[in-house]
Structures are given as C-alpha cells and as structure tokens.
Amino acid sequence: MTDFTAAFDRGVERRGTGSYKWDSVPGLLPLWVADMDFATAPVIIDALHRRVDMGAFGYTLVGEDYYRAVADWFGRRHGWAIERDSIMYTSGVVPALSAIIKALTAPGDKVIVQTPVYNCFFSSIRNNGCEILANPLRYTSDSYEMDFDDLAAKVADPAAKVLLLCNPGNPVGRVWTRDELTTLAGLCHDNGVVVVSDEIHCELVYPGYRYTPYGTLPREFVEQSVTCVSPSKAFNTAGLQIASIITPNADFRRRIDRAININEVCDVNPFGIVGTIAAYNEGEEWLEQLIAYLKGNYDMMADFCRSRMPQLPICRLEGTYLVWMNVAALGMTGEELGKRLIDEQSLWLNAGEMYGDDHFIRWNIACPRTRLAEALGRFEKFVKKHT
C-alpha cells in the first residue's frame, strides 16, 4: 500500500499554469472554485503519459472499456447495477444538465431546485428558457433538511416538469439518505416530475454517512430519472472534460442524445476517456486516502471555528470538500464579506448569494492543511478587526 499523505501535504504548485482557480486574480489565496490543490492519482497520471506517448490526438471513439469501467465502479463501490445501454457520455456535468433540460422541457416550463444549491443549476435553467421554482431547504443549527410539505406543493404545479437534485448537496454538504430520496422520488413520480440528479460529488463522503445513488431506488422511480456522474471532483480531473449521463429510460436517452448534438457537446477528448478508465479501474486506494485527508482538514477547521469564532457556525460536512459557513453575525452579506476579504486579506471565498443564500460563504478545503490554516488565520484577523 502506498501512503499518499506527503503528497497531499505538499499539494501542487498551480500558479502560473493557467489555472482558473489560481491565475484568474494573481496574488490571492483562493479557496473558492471547486477544484483541488492536489495532484491527481498517480495511476491517472501514468495512464495519461502512456496516451501522450502514442502521439496522435485525433477524434476518438469511446470504447467498451469506458462503459465497463463506469458500470464496474458503481456496481462494486455503491451497489448500483448499471446496464451498458443506460450510459451516455458528454463533455461535463454542466453541459449534461443543460442538454437534459433542453431535452425534457419546453421554454416556459418550471424546473424545481432545492436552494441553496450549485449556481450552475440556475444558469442551465435560464439558458433553456425555463423558470426556476425554488423548494428551499430548511436550515437547522448545523445542517439542512428537505422541506417535503413545500415540495409537495411545488411538484403539484402543472408547469413543473423537472427537479434538479444535488446528491450530495453543494454547498450544504448533505449526503441525502435513502429515506429522504425515496420520499422525494415518490412525490415527483406521483406528479409526473422527472428527477435529474447531479452526483458529481458522490465519491467524497465521510465516515458515518453513505451515498445512495438515485439509480438504486425502486425501478418505477428510476425510470423517471436521469443521473449525471464524473470522476472530475473526486480525482481533480475537471480539465479532462468528460461525464456520464445514466438513465434506463430509452425515450429520455433518445431525446437527450438529440439535445447533446444540438448543443454540440457530443465529442470528448481522449484524455478524458483514459482518465476516467484509470480512475475507476485503479484509483480506489488513492481516493480512500484523499477522503481521510479531507476529513482531517474539516475536523481542523471545525475545531478552529468552535474555539476561535463560535459566532460563525459551519455546517456539518457529510460529503463534498465544500464547507458552508453562516456569517450573519458579522452584520454584512456574504457578497460584501467576500469583497472585503479580498481587499483586506487577499483571501478569496465564494459568497453565498450565487447559491441562493447571502448570509453564508463557501470554503473549499481541498488543499494542503497548512494552506487551510493560513486561510483560517487570515479570516480570523478580519473577524477580530470587524467585531
């Protein structure tokens, strides 16, 4: 067994590499956009080197080894039996969501989202001429829960055609339970609302919690659903630009395939194929150690916040590497706070407004622990100055 802890502690130098996270505004400490400051799994790097050595990078077929890798991974790791014909591919989860909305709605239809939620849900809905219908999550002292009474009213709206689900939830850090998903699925099924589940963070789940693929719910619910997955978050390969769309519904697949072609996101690059196969076939040992390291980062942050800034509670992190902090006690919105942190501490976090609640900010803790400690120190200096 290889110990990857030193690699996680070291991270990778991304400044000056054209990194969207690090080079968009040079000079800042960026804990914002959801990618990691770790090199990906060595098995992926080795596989990509072998592909580069071949030397030709033309149009590439997606072979059976890709479909087997996806199906085997989810079957082995999550007990999800995926039929080969249920899997489609495209250039990323966001393009997938846009194509699915185009395929399954008409302009003017309503799409339900459970706010606060991933910001690209909103743009994907609006870009397809649809209306956002919010089913806000209920905030508790350190977490969120679904509001099923409100959801029952929203799915009963005859204009509501699709519910976009974030499983696990970004930015709230929830790993939805099988009971929660089953209740949601029943309400949607009974009202003819299709569930589209974004499960891009599904591998990043911490001890004590269990990811439930929507595709493992009762068949009648799954037939009225589409799931999107990718190794990009768990293995830090977003730049390889590939994702899988999974649904057993042949009519949905036909319509989605048409939308993918209309949106011109029907081709993927060879490195995305190779990276996915390597991740799913050989990357599990690295991933397990990554999860343990991220859990250590969260525990450190939780201890720091409890002891040094108890007025700014963070949500319990069940999954993802994104921590959701309530900053209402500072007397400023998340957007104002975000701007002032950049100006005064050169610290870049995400304001909660883009996710649907401006009393919060989002931290990306997928970085070396020393870097997270530096960010927390800068944040504490700001808090002491302004309270």
Side-chain angles (χ1 to χ4, degrees):
M1 176 177 170
T2 303
D3 186 347
F4 298 107
T5 305
F8 297 140
D9 279 336
R10 183 171 60 251
V12 63
E13 179 55 68
R14 302 186 64 193
R15 283 171 289 214
T17 65
S19 165
Y20 182 65
K21 180 179 182 180
W22 282 87
D23 293 333
S24 291
V25 183
L28 301 182
L29 179 55
L31 277 73
W32 63 295
V33 68
D35 69 4
M36 298 191 286
D37 290 337
F38 308 125
T40 191
V43 294
I44 296 175
I45 296 171
D46 292 344
L48 293 175
H49 276 304
R50 292 193 295 272
R51 184 62 181 83
V52 168
D53 288 343
M54 194 275 282
F57 311 112
Y59 300 117
T60 303
L61 291 171
V62 178
E64 288 303 313
D65 49 353
Y66 176 88
Y67 297 98
R68 280 196 303 273
V70 173
D72 288 352
W73 173 271
F74 283 96
R76 180 178 72 251
R77 190 169 171 86
H78 302 298
W80 181 10
I82 302 174
E83 298 170 357
R84 156 68 178 81
D85 291 344
S86 296
I87 305 172
M88 310 171 69
Y89 61 84
T90 187
S91 57
V93 167
V94 173
L97 294 174
S98 182
I100 294 164
I101 293 170
K102 182 184 291 292
L104 302 182
T105 67
D109 286 345
K110 295 179 181 179
V111 178
I112 300 169
V113 294
Q114 296 179 301
T115 54
V117 75
Y118 179 45
N119 53 296
C120 285
F121 279 19
F122 304 121
S123 57
S124 293
I125 295 166
R126 294 189 182 106
N127 289 344
N128 283 288
C130 293
E131 180 181 337
I132 295 166
L133 185 59
N135 166 226
L137 300 170
R138 286 199 296 238
Y139 178 57
T140 63
S141 60
D142 68 344
S143 190
Y144 283 82
E145 58 187 26
M146 294 186 186
D147 185 340
F148 292 117
D149 291 336
D150 181 72
L151 179 59
K154 298 297 168 60
V155 295
D157 185 332
K161 304 300 181 183
V162 166
L163 181 145
L164 286 188
L165 173 68
C166 200
N167 175 38
N170 167 19
V172 300
R174 274 299 316 275
V175 176
W176 305 114
T177 66
R178 180 171 294 276
D179 285 347
E180 287 171 315
L181 293 176
T182 301
T183 301
L184 176 146
L187 289 169
C188 289
H189 177 268
D190 291 348
N191 289 274
V193 173
V194 177
V195 175
V196 178
S197 188
D198 172 0
E199 302 188 359
I200 196 170
H201 291 276
C202 68
E203 304 306 336
L204 301 170
V205 173
Y206 301 109
Y209 305 98
R210 183 177 179 84
Y211 154 64
T212 300
Y214 196 91
T216 63
L217 298 184
R219 183 74 180 192
E220 65 268 24
F221 299 153
V222 179
E223 282 283 348
Q224 295 301 307
S225 74
V226 185
T227 298
C228 299
V229 297
S230 173
S232 60
K233 295 302 179 191
F235 291 93
N236 206 28
T237 57
L240 299 186
Q241 296 187 318
I242 193 167
S244 297
I245 301 169
I246 304 170
T247 177
N249 189 309
D251 179 57
F252 286 179
R253 293 198 303 271
R254 178 188 59 78
R255 291 156 67 181
I256 292 166
D257 181 68
R258 176 63 179 155
I260 286 172
N261 281 272
I262 290 171
N263 284 4
E264 303 288 2
V265 288
C266 49
D267 292 317
V268 292
N269 75 69
F271 302 110
I273 301 167
V274 168
T276 297
I277 294 168
Y280 286 159
N281 287 349
E282 306 174 76
E284 199 157 4
E285 179 183 313
W286 181 91
L287 177 62
E288 290 300 330
Q289 293 188 45
L290 169 72
I291 292 169
Y293 191 89
L294 292 172
K295 177 63 163 56
N297 275 4
Y298 172 72
D299 289 344
M300 183 193 78
M301 181 175 182
D303 289 344
F304 186 98
C305 291
R306 274 193 299 267
S307 62
R308 312 277 280 270
M309 302 180 294
Q311 75 275 33
L312 303 174
I314 61 174
C315 281
R316 181 176 71 247
L317 192 64
E318 301 176 359
T320 83
Y321 50 69
L322 304 165
V323 177
W324 193 233
M325 174 183 277
N326 187 335
V327 297
L330 289 176
M332 61 184 79
T333 65
E335 183 175 16
E336 181 186 357
L337 173 60
K339 290 177 180 177
R340 294 178 70 173
L341 283 170
I342 288 173
D343 291 341
E344 298 180 31
Q345 294 295 330
S346 297
L347 176 61
W348 192 351
L349 306 175
N350 276 129
E353 181 184 33
M354 70 174 71
Y355 310 105
D357 192 331
D358 204 23
H359 293 104
F360 288 77
I361 55 171
R362 192 188 78 170
W363 293 68
N364 173 356
I365 64 169
C367 60
R369 200 155 295 152
T370 54
R371 188 169 296 161
L372 177 58
E374 168 67 20
L376 288 167
R378 294 189 192 191
F379 189 83
E380 184 186 24
K381 287 179 185 177
F382 180 90
V383 170
K384 286 181 175 179
K385 180 180 178 182
H386 295 283
T387 55

